[in-house]
Amino acid sequence: TPHQATPSIPCRSLPTRQPANILEEARARLHVSSVPESLPCREQEFQDIYSFVESKIIDGTGGCMYISGVPGTGKTATVHEVMRCLQHAADVDEIPTFHFIEINGMKMTDPHQAYVQILQNLTGQKATPDHAAALLDKRFNNPAPRKQTTVLLVDELDLLWTRKQNVMYNLFDWPTQRHAHLVVLTIANTMDLPERIMINRVASRLGLTRMSFQPYSFKQLQQIIMSRLNKVKAFEEDALQLASRKVAALSGDARRCLDICRRATEICEHSTTNPSATGLVGMSHVMEALNEMFSSAYITAIKCASMQEQLFLRAVIAEFRRLGLEEASFQQVFVQHQALCRLEGLQPISVSEGLAVCRRLGACRLLLLEPSRLGVLQRVRLNVSQDDVLYALKAD
Amino acid sequence: MTALLKHPGYDEEKLRRVAEQLPCREVQAGLLLSLMGEPQQYSYPSIFIYGHRASGKSHVLHVLLKELELHHATVSCVECVSVALLFEQVLLSFFGCDAASLLPHSPSLSDFVRIYRQQRSQSPAKQTRYIVMEKAELLRDSDANLLPALLRLQELVEDNVTVILLSEIVWDKFRPNTGCFEPLLLHFPDYSKGELQQILSQDRHPSYSAEFYSSYINILLGVFYSVCRDLRELQHLAALNFSKFCEPLEEGKVKETDTHKLWRNIEPHLKKAMQTVYLREVSSLQWEQMQLMEEKEAGALRGLSAHTHVELPFYSKFLLIAAYLASYNPARTDKRFFLKHHGKIRKTNFLKKNEKTSNHLLGPKPFPLDRLLAIFYSVVDSRVAPTASIFSQISSLVTLQLLTQVSHDDQLDAPKYKCAVSLDFICAISRTVNFDIVKYLYDFL
C-alpha cells in the first residue's frame, strides 16, 4: 500500500437531483442528516448546557457534566447547537476563545485511543496511547500563561469503560486540576450509568451536574416535524398526529418518527398513478408505514414458511404442551411431527428432511437450536412466544 | 461387464481407462461425470460425498480427476491443522508457488479470496477447477466461517471452481447454526458381498489360476464378511493368509480343484487370524513369521492384550485391591464384609432398587480416601503405619492410571477416587498376594 493513503468515498458521477415535487422536497427535509434550522422543544436543556459551559469559560475553571437520555432525544444535536452558538459568541468577542474537541466511544477501536485522539485534536501530535496520556497529563497539570479553555465532548461514554477505569478516571480528574481549564461534557444513554459501572473515585469526580433528556411527547414530535417541513405542505394534519402519537407511545424517538414520515411519503408517491400530480400524505399511508416499521417480522416469516416448516412449528408447540416445558429434544418433536403429517394426510418426511426443516427454522431464528453435530439429540426452543406462532398459523 | 462411461467432452479412450480402474463404481462415477459436465462448463458450486470407510470415495475422484486430466487440488483436512496450510495448498496447485508466497503470515479468508481473484484474473480458468477436501468433518472444528465460505466459493471468487467435500458423516451434522448454501449430496453405498468378491479377485497371484484365487476369496469372505466389510482390511487379510492357503498345494498333497480339502486346511487358520491379527494383537510381521515356523502354533505367541500384567509393590497391590472393593461394593455393605462381629444380614433384605443391577455393569463408583484406607487396613493382615510412602503410592497409582481422581486436582482434604482396572486384572493381582477377591465382592455373593 502507498504511504499516506487517504481513504475517501468515491465521488458522485452525477450531482444530486433537485427535488422535483413537494413529496421529494419534504423527504429531503425530513432526512435525519439534514441539519435543521433550529432545535425545537429543547430550549430549556439548551439554556442549561449553554450557561454551564459559558460560565466555566468566562471563569476559566473546569467541570464535568453528564447528559443522559434514551436514543433519539436530541442529546448530541443539542450539544452541537450549544457549541455552535458559543463559537459564534467567541467570534464576536463576547466570551474568551476556546477549543472544542469531540470524541466518540463508538468510533474508537480501543478505549485508550481516546488519549491519542484528544492529543491529536489539541496539538496535532501523534503518539502511542501511553505517551499521549503522559503528554496530556503534563499539559493539564502544569500552569501555562494565557491558556485557552478546552471543551471536550465525549459521546457514547459507556464504551470507554475499561477494567481499571483509568481512561474515565483521567477524563474526569483533569477538569478538577487548577490549571487544566477543561470542560468535559459526557453523553450516554442510561441515567444511572455512573452508579452502575463506575467505581467510587471515578463517579465522585464526575460530580453531580447531571441532565437527563426526557423522551419527546407527541406534541413535541409534531412540532419537530412541522418545523422541519417549514411550510412545505405535504402532510395532512391528522396523518402527522397519528405518526407522532404512535412513536411517542412506543419510544419517543425523533429519528424513528422522521423515518416513518419519510416512508409514508414514499408510499404516497407509489400509490398515485400520476407522478407529477401527487396528493397529500394521508392517514392510510402513515398507517401502512407504521405497520411496516412496527409489525413483527417473525409472524410474517411464519406465515410465509413452507407447509412442512409450519407443521414442524405446530409439532414443537404440541410437544411443549405435552411436556409442560419450554424445551424439547429434536426426536421428541419429530415424533409429533410425523403424527401431524399422518393427521394431515401427508407423506411423513425422513429424519434428514426433518433436520433440514429444523435447521432452516433455526437459521432464521424462529427456533433456538444447539449445534447440529448433536443430531437428533439437539434441544429445540422457540424464539418467539407460543401465542405469536399460533396467531400466525391460524391466520390463514 | 463394465458398462462404458459415456460423456461428451471427454476422450473415449480416457473414459475407458477410467471405467477399468473403477470396478463396481460405474454408477457413481457416471453421476459425478454428469454433474461435472464438460470441462469448460460451470459445475455445481459444492458437492458433498458421503459413505462408509473404504467405499471408494477418494479413489473414484482421484481416478476421474487424474485420468481426465482435470485441474484439481486435493487437500486432506487432517494435514491442514491451520487454515493457512489449506489456502497455501489450494493456491499452490492452482497457480504455482508464486501465488502461494503472496499469502501473508497468518492469512484470513479474505486474504485467500483476494489473492485467488487476483491470480484468477491473470490466468483465467479454461476449465472447471476442483478442490477436493478429504475428511471434511474436521472443517467443522475450524473457524465458523470457513465451511460456509467454501460452500459458496464459486460465488466469492467468481471463478469456475467446484468444492468437493468427502466425509463419512452425513450432511445433517454439518449444517452451521446460521444456515449456509446447501451442497449437492451424493451417497456412496457399501460394496455388497458379490462386489467385494469381484474386487478382491482382481489382484490375484500370477502363478495360480483365477478360479483358484477366487475360491480362496470366497472362503475368506465366508469367514470374515460377518464381522468386516471394510475393503482395505479384507485386502490386507487376503494378502497375509494366501501363502498358508497354497501350502498343501506346494507340498503336493492336494490338487487345485480339491476345494474341500483346501477349506479344511485354511478355515481354522482364518478363525485364529480373526482373534489375533485382525485385532492387531499380533502384528502382521509376527504373523508371517509364525506361518513360516511350522512347529510353533499360530496364536501361541502372546498378543498385546496379554501383556497387561504389571509388577507392583506389595502394598500397592493391596491398595489397588482395596480401591477395587470400594469402587464396586456399596458402602453400606462394608460393615458386613470387613468387620468381624457383624450381625447376620442376608443379601435380599437390604437391597435398594438400583443395587439390584450388577455394579460391574454400571461401572465403578467414586469413593473417598478414608474409605479406601479403612478397607486397606482390614484387608492387610499385618499392621501398617500410615506413612508417607503409603500416600505416595496412592498418588503414583493415579499417575499410572490404575486409579483416577474424580474431584478437582487441587483438593487435598477428602479427595475422591475411582478404580480404573478390570476384573481380570484385579483377580490376577490378588492371586499373587493370595487374596480371594471374589469372596469380598458384593456382586458375586
Side-chain angles (χ1 to χ4, degrees):
Chain A
T1 52
H3 285 282
Q4 292 158 348
T6 38
S8 61
I9 303 169
C11 297
R12 288 176 197 273
S13 52
L14 295 170
T16 48
R17 284 190 300 135
Q18 288 296 316
N21 55 21
I22 290 180
L23 286 180
E24 275 184 35
E25 165 91 38
R27 204 146 54 226
R29 285 169 165 276
L30 286 174
H31 199 279
V32 181
S33 68
S34 74
V35 184
E37 293 88 6
S38 67
L39 282 173
C41 316
R42 286 293 177 227
E43 291 82 11
Q44 184 57 45
E45 285 85 357
F46 176 86
Q47 201 57 46
D48 287 353
I49 300 174
Y50 188 91
S51 53
F52 175 81
V53 180
E54 190 191 29
S55 66
K56 300 288 182 206
I57 292 175
I58 291 174
D59 295 349
T61 54
C64 287
M65 185 173 204
Y66 177 72
I67 301 168
S68 64
V70 291
T73 47
K75 305 180 291 293
T76 313
T78 307
V79 174
H80 278 148
E81 186 74 10
V82 167
M83 295 326 291
R84 248 196 321 273
C85 288
L86 282 170
Q87 208 86 52
H88 181 73
D91 287 345
V92 298
D93 280 335
E94 279 176 15
I95 56 169
T97 54
F98 63 94
H99 209 116
F100 175 56
I101 301 171
E102 183 186 355
I103 60 173
N104 189 332
M106 193 80 91
K107 289 183 187 166
M108 278 178 269
T109 51
D110 181 79
H112 293 97
Q113 288 293 321
Y115 299 134
V116 180
Q117 288 194 11
I118 295 171
L119 187 72
Q120 192 164 20
N121 283 329
L122 267 179
T123 63
Q125 269 180 296
K126 274 186 185 172
T128 59
D130 284 345
H131 191 209
L135 286 175
L136 285 174
D137 219 30
K138 209 162 91 186
R139 186 187 163 96
F140 289 130
N141 283 333
N142 292 340
R146 295 194 293 117
K147 193 187 244 179
Q148 277 186 349
T149 300
T150 311
V151 181
L152 175 64
L153 168 62
V154 185
D155 214 340
E156 312 283 352
L157 176 73
D158 35 355
L159 292 171
L160 291 183
W161 187 87
T162 53
R163 217 165 54 80
K164 289 170 84 178
Q165 307 196 357
N166 45 359
V167 178
M168 282 184 176
Y169 176 79
N170 277 333
L171 281 181
F172 302 143
D173 187 44
W174 288 328
T176 62
Q177 305 294 329
R178 246 183 80 208
H179 308 292
H181 302 293
L182 178 67
V183 183
V184 178
L185 302 172
T186 56
I187 298 180
N189 285 341
T190 45
M191 200 158 37
D192 58 343
L193 188 78
E195 282 72 34
R196 264 194 307 125
I197 66 169
M198 292 182 200
I199 49 179
N200 279 336
R201 67 191 170 106
V202 177
S204 70
R205 275 172 176 75
L206 174 60
L208 293 171
T209 322
R210 309 229 178 131
M211 170 176 289
S212 78
F213 279 59
Q214 297 302 322
Y216 290 114
S217 69
F218 86 93
K219 281 210 172 109
Q220 290 172 322
L221 284 174
Q222 207 170 351
Q223 199 181 337
I224 289 170
I225 300 172
M226 295 293 263
S227 79
R228 284 263 185 160
L229 287 172
N230 193 19
K231 299 201 188 81
V232 173
K233 186 66 185 152
F235 279 82
E236 281 174 20
E237 203 69 27
D238 291 346
L240 273 189
Q241 193 165 14
L242 175 67
S244 46
R245 274 189 190 269
K246 278 278 186 185
V247 174
L250 278 171
S251 61
D253 186 337
R255 290 179 292 198
R256 178 61 71 91
C257 196
L258 294 174
D259 287 344
I260 288 170
C261 289
R262 267 188 303 131
R263 178 67 193 140
T265 59
E266 281 174 1
I267 292 169
C268 175
E269 205 169 44
H270 286 300
S271 63
T272 53
T273 45
N274 188 1
S276 58
T278 48
L280 293 181
V281 179
M283 287 282 263
S284 58
H285 304 129
V286 172
M287 207 61 213
E288 205 177 327
L290 280 168
N291 276 339
E292 273 179 24
M293 284 269 184
F294 289 123
S295 70
S296 150
Y298 285 125
I299 290 179
T300 324
I302 295 173
K303 275 184 187 166
C304 300
S306 71
M307 186 194 292
Q308 290 289 353
E309 283 167 346
Q310 290 185 344
L311 217 54
F312 193 84
L313 284 173
R314 245 186 248 277
V316 169
I317 289 183
E319 188 61 25
F320 285 178
R321 292 248 169 94
R322 192 181 71 84
L323 293 171
L325 294 170
E326 291 285 292
E327 189 178 84
S329 75
F330 173 79
Q331 50 187 2
Q332 289 170 323
V333 175
F334 191 66
V335 170
Q336 293 278 356
H337 184 97
Q338 292 202 310
L340 277 176
C341 275
R342 294 206 182 86
L343 207 67
E344 298 279 326
L346 300 168
Q347 183 72 31
I349 58 174
S350 69
V351 178
S352 281
E353 287 167 319
L355 276 167
V357 164
C358 181
R359 275 288 131 190
R360 213 157 42 236
L361 289 172
C364 50
R365 307 299 290 164
L366 286 170
L367 297 179
L368 296 175
L369 299 172
E370 287 183 303
S372 57
R373 63 174 63 191
L374 295 170
V376 294
L377 294 176
Q378 59 185 311
R379 284 190 298 251
V380 177
R381 278 193 294 160
L382 274 177
N383 197 24
V384 281
S385 76
Q386 293 196 13
D387 296 336
D388 283 0
V389 177
L390 288 177
Y391 169 74
L393 291 176
K394 205 170 285 174
D396 51 320
Chain B
M1 58 178 176
T2 53
L4 203 62
L5 287 169
K6 281 199 186 103
H7 201 273
Y10 295 104
D11 193 11
E12 288 268 327
E13 175 62 22
K14 281 178 185 169
L15 284 176
R16 200 182 54 73
R17 243 180 306 155
V18 169
E20 269 171 16
Q21 288 183 53
L22 300 176
C24 314
R25 278 290 176 244
E26 291 89 10
V27 183
Q28 281 77 20
L31 203 56
L32 261 176
L33 257 187
S34 52
L35 282 177
M36 290 168 164
E38 291 173 36
Q40 74 285 356
Q41 288 172 337
Y42 265 75
S43 171
Y44 203 75
S46 46
I47 302 172
F48 182 83
I49 300 177
Y50 64 107
H52 280 156
R53 192 187 309 171
S55 56
K57 300 181 293 291
S58 327
H59 180 65
V60 168
L61 267 180
H62 184 249
V63 169
L64 268 180
L65 295 174
K66 196 96 179 177
E67 287 292 334
L68 302 178
E69 287 163 10
L70 299 170
H71 213 159
H72 70 277
T74 307
V75 184
S76 165
C77 295
V78 182
E79 289 170 22
C80 298
V81 287
S82 72
V83 284
L85 291 168
L86 196 159
F87 297 154
E88 197 182 318
Q89 279 198 24
V90 171
L91 288 177
L92 197 69
S93 46
F94 282 169
F95 305 109
C97 49
D98 294 346
S101 63
L102 284 174
L103 275 175
H105 180 59
S106 54
S108 65
L109 191 68
S110 58
D111 285 327
F112 170 67
V113 171
R114 176 173 54 82
I115 291 171
Y116 192 107
R117 292 174 74 125
Q118 190 185 326
Q119 294 294 320
R120 182 254 319 173
S121 57
Q122 284 168 17
S123 55
K126 293 183 196 67
Q127 47 166 289
T128 312
R129 295 180 167 127
Y130 295 96
I131 301 177
V132 183
M133 314 281 296
E134 286 175 358
K135 294 251 187 295
E137 57 265 20
L138 291 160
L139 284 177
R140 301 179 296 174
D141 300 323
S142 58
D143 301 345
N145 62 359
L146 183 62
L147 183 62
L150 282 175
L151 290 173
R152 52 197 328 156
L153 193 67
Q154 196 174 80
E155 242 172 277
L156 280 174
V157 299
E158 293 170 356
D159 188 28
N160 189 359
V161 62
T162 293
V163 177
I164 302 176
L165 305 167
L166 305 180
S167 178
E168 291 173 27
I169 298 179
V170 290
W171 173 244
D172 296 328
K173 302 207 169 197
F174 275 75
R175 282 200 192 92
N177 262 352
T178 45
C180 62
F181 182 85
E182 291 280 316
L184 217 55
L185 306 185
L186 193 58
H187 180 231
F188 275 44
D190 283 347
Y191 292 115
S192 68
K193 195 171 181 180
E195 286 171 336
L196 281 175
Q197 165 98 31
Q198 186 188 335
I199 295 168
L200 285 171
S201 308
Q202 277 188 345
D203 42 2
R204 66 186 180 87
H205 204 276
S207 50
Y208 299 98
S209 71
E211 294 83 57
F212 178 68
Y213 194 77
S214 160
S215 68
Y216 165 64
I217 292 299
N218 201 6
I219 292 168
L220 187 89
L221 282 178
V223 175
F224 280 104
Y225 186 70
S226 55
V227 292
C228 172
R229 287 154 201 213
D230 187 338
L231 179 62
R232 277 181 293 180
E233 193 73 41
L234 288 171
Q235 270 172 336
H236 178 65
L237 287 168
L240 267 187
N241 295 310
F242 187 59
S243 59
K244 181 76 180 175
F245 185 70
C246 302
E247 238 170 43
L249 209 63
E250 280 164 11
E251 289 167 6
K253 284 182 190 165
V254 290
K255 290 198 288 285
E256 270 197 21
T257 49
D258 205 349
T259 327
H260 186 67
K261 273 190 181 160
L262 285 168
W263 179 75
R264 284 270 299 277
N265 176 45
I266 193 71
E267 216 250 341
H269 186 75
L270 290 178
K271 283 260 168 70
K272 202 157 282 166
M274 198 190 301
Q275 285 158 18
T276 51
V277 72
Y278 177 60
L279 299 175
R280 303 286 189 275
E281 294 257 318
V282 170
S283 74
S284 313
L285 187 69
Q286 283 174 320
W287 183 253
E288 276 171 353
Q289 283 169 350
M290 266 162 22
Q291 284 179 343
L292 291 180
M293 284 185 286
E294 275 306 305
E295 67 274 19
K296 199 164 184 184
E297 187 60 28
L301 203 72
R302 279 167 59 201
L304 269 182
S305 69
H307 288 285
T308 50
H309 180 68
V310 181
E311 272 305 324
L312 284 175
F314 184 69
Y315 286 133
S316 284
K317 284 177 182 168
F318 274 108
L319 279 171
L320 201 59
I321 288 168
Y324 192 85
L325 290 172
S327 261
Y328 288 96
N329 280 352
R332 37 204 256 115
T333 59
D334 282 356
K335 202 174 155 196
R336 179 207 188 292
F337 281 124
F338 303 112
L339 280 187
K340 278 211 177 102
H341 306 291
H342 59 84
K344 191 163 186 182
I345 312 166
R346 283 212 305 276
K347 189 178 177 180
T348 45
N349 56 10
F350 63 101
L351 274 181
K352 268 200 212 158
K353 198 181 175 192
N354 57 349
E355 282 169 1
K356 276 179 188 157
T357 43
S358 158
N359 281 315
H360 279 85
L361 283 180
L362 297 173
K365 305 252 183 321
F367 55 85
L369 179 65
D370 304 343
R371 190 167 160 230
L372 171 70
L373 288 177
I375 295 178
F376 172 68
Y377 287 129
S378 71
V379 169
V380 179
D381 290 334
S382 56
R383 289 183 62 85
V384 194
T387 54
S389 91
I390 294 291
F391 288 101
S392 72
Q393 282 183 32
I394 294 176
S395 62
S396 53
L397 283 176
V398 172
T399 44
L400 288 171
Q401 297 184 345
L402 298 171
L403 297 184
T404 46
Q405 196 164 358
V406 281
S407 52
H408 279 293
D409 287 339
D410 53 348
Q411 196 179 348
L412 286 178
D413 61 328
K416 285 194 159 186
Y417 299 97
K418 265 186 187 181
C419 186
V421 299
S422 64
L423 182 62
D424 294 339
F425 185 90
I426 204 75
C427 284
I429 293 260
S430 46
R431 223 173 290 125
T432 59
V433 290
N434 288 326
F435 180 82
D436 188 9
I437 189 159
V438 179
K439 224 170 75 185
Y440 286 88
L441 278 170
Y442 180 71
D443 284 340
F444 303 107
L445 211 60

